[in-house]
Structure formats: C-alpha cells, structure tokens
Amino acid sequence: MSPARALVLAIASGAALLAPACSSDPNRGYAFAEPYDASVRTVGVPIFSNETFARGTEIALTDAIVKQIQQQTPWRVVSPDRADTVVEGAITNAELNVLSNDPDTGLVQEQTYRLTIRFVWRDNRTGETRVARENFSASGVFTPVRAGGERLEVGQRDAIDELARDIVASMRSSW
C-alpha cells in the first residue's frame, strides 16, 4: 500500500471513530460547540452581601467573579439592570482551621481560610433561576509561622479565586 493511501485510510478511520462521539449538545458527548448558552450575551454582578465579620471579602469576591467571567466566557459584564442574567449572592461564613502545629512550640504551622457562600444565577428576561447553590465553599492554605510566614490574606485570596472559578464553571455547565 502506498504511503499516500495509508495516510488517507488513517484519516478516514480516525474520522469514523470520532463521528459517533461528537454531539451538538455538550452534555451528551464531545462537542465542537462552545460550552456557553448563546442566548446569554451579558451578565450583571452586583456586590455580594457579607454576613460575616470578614470585611472587604465581598468586594474581592465580586471583583474575582467579574474577572473570571471576562477571561473565561464570551459574556460581557454590564450593570445588573441592563443584563440578560444576574449573578448575586452572599458570603455566609468565613473561618480559620488549623491544619498543623509545631510540635516544639505549639504554634500554628498551617491553616486554611474557608469561605462559604450562597449564590444564584438568574435570567432577567424570564425570571428563571439558572443555577442556585447553598453552602458553596472553597479553602485556601497558608503558613502563618513566625519569621517569613504568610499573611491571612494569602489563604483568603486563594479561597476567593477558587470560588470565582467554581462559580463561573457552574454557569458554563448549567445549560
């Protein structure tokens, strides 16, 4: 068999194997379509409310969500009153947990900063709830040891960034 014919046969075989796996619906197999609802063009993100004593976290979380939407989706972020859809929510808990202590001094070596939120993604055009989550949480690990240790904000930033990524991933997979 000639090399050209072998190449054509290999390409045809590959296409025949991929064809049954492809789908126009991303929830039903592989798809070449974008994993976004094409009817959504704009998203509003009002500042999340904060039911904790961790002040300023709501602004940082809202900002991280906006940036994730802008970086990871084709949607534009606009004011909530003009948007096709709105993502809103509340920070319901912010807590520190000790992971490990120094056996000699008893001082904390590693801690997690855990943020818990609830959020809803609502369609302004129909009033339909697209995604709603309760007790949605993420944690960031930091090491607050004495000389050269990390500040609480390191763990807080990690938790905020993870929540923002997870919220946008939930929005992408909801349709």
Side-chain angles (χ1 to χ4, degrees), residues 27-106:
N27 294 321
R28 304 182 88 189
Y30 297 108
F32 293 110
E34 288 289 329
Y36 309 101
D37 184 346
S39 72
V40 175
R41 299 176 58 89
T42 58
V43 178
V45 187
I47 295 175
F48 273 45
S49 63
N50 189 349
E51 301 170 2
T52 72
F53 291 109
R55 298 294 165 223
T57 309
E58 68 279 9
I59 294 169
L61 177 60
T62 304
D63 184 53
I65 294 167
V66 167
K67 287 178 181 171
Q68 278 296 309
I69 290 170
Q70 291 171 335
Q71 292 172 359
Q72 303 298 324
T73 74
W75 304 321
R76 280 190 2 251
V77 177
V78 298
S79 69
D81 58 329
R82 294 188 355 212
D84 296 337
T85 63
V86 173
V87 178
E88 53 193 354
I91 298 171
T92 58
N93 194 21
E95 63 185 4
L96 287 171
N97 295 306
V98 175
L99 292 179
S100 65
N101 292 323
D102 184 306
D104 296 328
T105 64

Side-chain angles (χ1 to χ4, degrees), residues 144-161:
V145 292
R146 287 178 279 168
E150 298 173 329
R151 297 174 49 130
L152 168 73
E153 290 81 9
V154 171
Q156 188 179 51
R157 184 81 245 168
D158 286 348
I160 286 169
D161 289 343

